[in-house]
C-alpha cells in the first residue's frame, strides 16, 4: 500500500516548508531516540546547571487573509515543558486504557481514541484563558481531562458507572465539564453550537471566545459554511479548528475534498495552518487566534495537521486504507510526546529521571482509575430520568417503554455551565 500522499506532503516536507525546521543533533547520543525534532533550539537560560527555559523556532505557519501570523520563535519554561509532557502522556495512557477496556467488552458502543493527536488539545488548552470555552466532536476523552475532569471520571463515564462525569449516562461521546460543552455525536453539529457559545460570550460581555473543533471528515458539511458566514457577519469570538488527521473515517482527504487547504475555506474568515504534531506551535497559533478574536476582529479558522494512530473508532482496525508502514513512520519520526521529550532532554530543561518519575506517577494513576472504573456500580433505574432538562419544570414526565406508564423527571444535581 505504501506511504500515503498525506504523510509524504505534510510530514516528510517539513524541511522544505521552513528552513528553520531542520532536525537537531543531540549533543549526547545516548539521549537520541531517532525522532525528527521539528524545532531548532535558539537559546536556553541556565540555573543551577540546568536550563530554566529554552527558546525554539517552529515550522512556518501558512496564512489566509492575514497580513502577519504568530511568531515562529517560541519560549518554553521548564514548568510548562513538564506540564505539557505530563498532560500528553496522561491522555495517551488513558486512551490506551480505554482501548483495552473496550477489547475486554467493559466499554460498549462507540469509542474514538485520540492517540497521536495529543499536541492539538494540549497546545490549545495551554493558550486558553479562564473565560474561554471549548466544544468538540466525539474524540473527546483527552479534552475532557484537560478541561478539569479527573481520569477516573473520564474512564468511569466510558464504562457507564456512577463515578463518571455524566453519571455514566453519556458514555464516550457525551462528556462535559466547566466551560466544556462536549463531546457531540453528530458529525459537524457541534460547530454551529460553538458559534452560539461564542455569540453568548459576546452578548454577555465575558470577553471569552469559543474554540469549536471538528475533523477533516466533517469539513464538507454544509452547516459549517453557514456558520462561517454567520460568525463573520456578527464578528463572533469563535475559533474554528479543523483537526486534519488525513482521513475522514477511511477516506483520505485527497479523495474527499477538492480543496484540502482547510484553513482557507472560511472565505472572508482569516485562516492559519499549524503543525499539529508540535505542542509549542499549536500553543502559539492559539494565542494568536485568541488575540485576534478578543480584539473584535471576529472569527478565525485554524487547521492543525495531525495524525491518529488508531482506527476511526474501535470497530475500525485502521489498516485497510493505509499501511502499517505509514503508521510506524509517523510514530517513529513525528510522535508529539516523543518529540517533546527529545526537546526537553536536548535543551536540558529536565533529566531522564524527572521524566520517568512523571511517567511512573501517571501510569499508577491511570491503573488505579481503570480498576475503580471497572469496579464501580451503575446508577439505579430511577436515576435514568434525572437531569434531562436543567429546569425540571420544562419536562414533568418522561415517556416510558409502555404507554400510560410515564416516568417522573427529577433534578439530582446542578447543571454544568448554567
Amino acid at each position: 500500500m505504501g506511504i500515503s500522499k498525506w504523510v509524504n506532503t505534510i510530514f516528510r516536507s517539513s524541511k522544505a516548508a521552513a528552513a528553520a525546521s531542520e532536525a537537531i543533533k543531540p549533543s549526547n547520543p545516548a539521549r537520541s531516540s531517532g525522532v525528527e525534532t521539528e524545532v531548532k533550539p535558539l537559546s536556553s537560560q541556565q540555573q543551577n546547571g540546568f536550563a530554566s527555559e529554552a527558546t525554539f523556532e517552529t515550522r512556518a505557519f501558512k496564512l489566509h487573509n492575514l497580513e502577519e501570523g504568530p511568531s515562529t520563535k517560541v519560549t518554553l519554561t521548564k514548568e510548562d515543558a513538564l506540564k505539557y509532557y505530563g498532560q500528553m502522556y496522561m491522555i495517551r495512557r488513558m486512551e490506551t486504557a480505554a482501548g483495552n477496556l473496550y477489547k475486554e467488552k467493559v466499554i460498549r458502543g462507540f469509542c474514538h481514541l485520540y492517540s497521536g493527536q495529543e499536541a492539538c488539545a494540549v497546545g490549545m488548552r495551554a493558550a486558553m484563558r479562564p473565560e474561554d470555552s471549548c466544544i468538540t466532536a466525539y474524540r473527546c476523552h483527552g479534552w475532557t481531562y484537560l478541561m478539569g475532569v479527573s481520569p477516573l471520571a473520564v474512564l468511569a463515564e466510558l464504562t457507564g458507572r456512577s463515578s463518571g462525569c455524566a453519571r455514566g449516562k453519556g458514555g464516550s461521546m457525551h462528556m462535559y465539564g466547566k466551560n466544556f460543552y462536549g463531546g457531540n455525536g453528530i458529525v459537524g453539529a457541534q460547530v454551529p453550537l460553538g458559534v452560539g457559545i461564542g455569540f453568548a460570550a459576546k452578548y454577555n460581555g465575558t470577553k471569552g471566545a469559543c474554540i469549536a473543533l471538528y475533523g477533516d471528515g466533517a469539513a464538507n458539511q454544509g452547516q459549517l459554511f453557514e456558520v462561517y458566514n454567520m460568525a463573520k457577519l456578527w464578528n463572533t469570538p469563535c475559533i474554528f479548528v479543523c483537526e486534519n488527521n488525513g482521513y475522514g473515517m477511511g477516506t483520505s482527504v485527497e479523495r474527499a475534498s477538492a480543496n484540502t487547504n482547510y484553513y482557507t475555506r472560511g472565505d472572508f474568515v482569516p485562516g492559519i495552518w499549524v503543525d499539529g504534531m508540535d505542542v509549542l506551535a499549536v500553543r502559539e497559533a492559539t494565542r494568536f487566534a485568541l488575540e485576534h478574536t478578543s480584539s473584535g476582529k471576529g472569527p478565525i479558522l485554524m487547521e492543525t495537521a495531525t495524525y491518529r494512530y488508531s482506527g476511526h473508532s474501535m470497530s475500525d482496525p485502521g489498516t485497510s486504507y493505509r499501511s502499517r508502514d505509514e503508521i510506524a513512520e509517523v510514530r517513529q519520526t513525528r510522535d508529539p510526546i516523543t518529540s517533546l521529550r527529545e526537546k526537553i532532554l536536548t535543551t536540558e530543561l529536565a533529566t531522564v529521571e524527572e521524566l520517568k518519575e512523571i511517567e511512573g506517577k501517571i501510569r499508577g494513576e491511570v491503573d488505579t482509575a481503570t480498576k475503580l472504573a471497572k469496579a464501580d456500580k451503575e446508577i439505579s433505574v430511577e436515576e435514568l430520568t434525572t437531569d434531562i432538562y436543567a429546569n425540571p419544570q420544562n419536562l414533568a414526565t418522561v415517556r416510558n417503554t409502555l404507554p400510560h406508564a410515564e416516568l417522573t423527571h427529577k433534578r439530582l444535581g446542578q447543571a454544568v455551565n448554567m
Side-chain angles (χ1 to χ4, degrees):
M1 189 180 295
I3 304 298
S4 72
K5 182 180 178 182
W6 170 249
V7 172
N8 276 316
T9 57
I10 300 299
F11 294 134
R12 285 182 170 176
S13 64
S14 57
K15 293 180 182 178
S21 300
E22 62 192 66
I24 52 177
K25 305 288 186 182
S27 57
N28 184 353
R31 287 178 173 173
S32 178
S33 62
V35 176
E36 180 187 350
T37 309
E38 282 301 315
V39 293
K40 180 181 180 180
L42 299 178
S43 64
S44 63
Q45 293 185 9
Q46 297 287 323
Q47 186 175 19
N48 298 325
F50 291 94
S52 58
E53 68 176 40
T55 303
F56 302 92
E57 188 153 344
T58 70
R59 288 180 64 181
F61 300 95
K62 300 175 186 178
L63 307 178
H64 169 70
N65 280 347
L66 288 169
E67 293 183 0
E68 60 180 3
S71 172
T72 56
K73 184 179 179 181
V74 299
T75 300
L76 178 65
T77 65
K78 175 174 181 175
E79 180 182 2
D80 285 343
L82 297 182
K83 179 182 178 182
Y84 304 158
Y85 184 78
Q87 288 176 330
M88 289 198 291
Y89 194 83
M90 173 64 83
I91 295 172
R92 183 71 60 86
R93 294 297 299 187
M94 285 172 51
E95 295 294 57
T96 300
N100 291 335
L101 288 169
Y102 194 95
K103 292 170 185 176
E104 295 172 19
K105 298 185 178 180
V106 178
I107 295 175
R108 303 289 184 129
F110 292 104
C111 186
H112 305 81
L113 304 182
Y114 203 62
S115 300
Q117 300 183 209
E118 296 90 351
C120 297
V122 172
M124 282 181 258
R125 185 69 181 98
M128 289 174 67
R129 307 157 301 185
E131 61 269 26
D132 296 323
S133 301
C134 173
I135 187 168
T136 187
Y138 35 73
R139 211 176 297 279
C140 66
H141 312 155
W143 264 108
T144 307
Y145 160 70
L146 292 174
M147 294 302 289
V149 177
S150 70
L152 172 59
V154 173
L155 292 171
E157 188 60 37
L158 286 166
T159 59
R161 309 304 167 94
S162 60
S163 296
C165 58
R167 301 284 292 168
K169 294 191 289 184
S172 174
M173 298 190 290
H174 303 98
M175 299 183 181
Y176 308 93
K178 178 65 176 175
N179 287 351
F180 180 59
Y181 294 83
N184 292 268
I186 300 175
V187 176
Q190 73 277 6
V191 183
L193 300 180
V195 175
I197 296 166
F199 183 81
K202 181 178 181 179
Y203 184 85
N204 292 322
T206 67
K207 298 184 179 180
C210 181
I211 297 177
L213 299 105
Y214 56 97
D216 53 278
N220 296 322
Q221 288 270 325
Q223 57 189 326
L224 267 71
F225 294 91
E226 292 181 49
V227 292
Y228 290 161
N229 180 60
M230 295 168 69
K232 185 57 182 175
L233 275 175
W234 302 334
N235 275 340
T236 304
C238 181
I239 302 173
F240 300 103
V241 179
C242 177
E243 291 185 288
N244 182 2
N245 60 27
Y247 300 94
M249 297 187 72
T251 305
S252 67
V253 293
E254 293 83 10
R255 294 180 59 208
S257 300
N259 176 11
T260 59
N261 294 316
Y262 295 101
Y263 69 102
T264 68
R265 285 177 154 211
D267 196 7
F268 285 98
V269 177
I272 180 170
W273 178 96
V274 57
D275 178 2
M277 303 300 271
D278 180 2
V279 66
L280 302 182
V282 176
R283 183 191 69 179
E284 295 309 302
T286 308
R287 284 177 176 173
F288 177 88
L290 287 170
E291 290 173 4
H292 177 93
T293 59
S294 299
S295 62
K297 296 178 182 177
I300 190 169
L301 198 163
M302 191 164 76
E303 176 187 349
T304 61
T306 186
Y307 197 84
R308 59 169 163 81
Y309 296 149
S310 303
H312 170 73
S313 66
M314 290 301 296
S315 60
D316 169 25
T319 54
S320 60
Y321 47 87
R322 57 182 182 174
S323 67
R324 296 183 188 275
D325 289 341
E326 175 183 309
I327 302 169
E329 176 169 334
V330 178
R331 273 186 178 274
Q332 292 167 9
T333 62
R334 293 305 318 281
D335 182 79
I337 300 175
T338 311
S339 295
L340 180 60
R341 179 187 176 92
E342 189 82 1
K343 295 163 194 165
I344 291 172
L345 295 178
T346 301
T347 55
E348 297 183 338
L349 284 170
T351 64
V352 174
E353 289 71 26
E354 287 178 285
L355 296 182
K356 285 184 177 179
E357 182 180 354
I358 292 172
E359 294 166 4
K361 182 179 178 181
I362 290 172
R363 283 196 299 268
E365 186 176 353
V366 173
D367 289 347
T368 300
T370 301
K371 292 175 183 177
L372 292 173
K374 293 172 70 173
D376 194 20
K377 65 180 186 304
E378 297 179 355
I379 60 173
S380 64
V381 175
E382 291 74 22
E383 194 179 324
L384 289 175
T385 56
T386 61
D387 299 331
I388 298 174
Y389 276 71
N391 184 354
Q393 283 71 38
N394 290 340
L395 186 69
T397 59
V398 180
R399 185 177 63 183
N400 202 344
T401 54
L402 297 174
H404 310 297
E406 288 83 1
L407 302 170
T408 304
H409 178 228
K410 301 176 183 178
R411 184 174 211 172
L412 181 66
Q414 177 67 33
V416 177
N417 296 314
M418 292 293 291

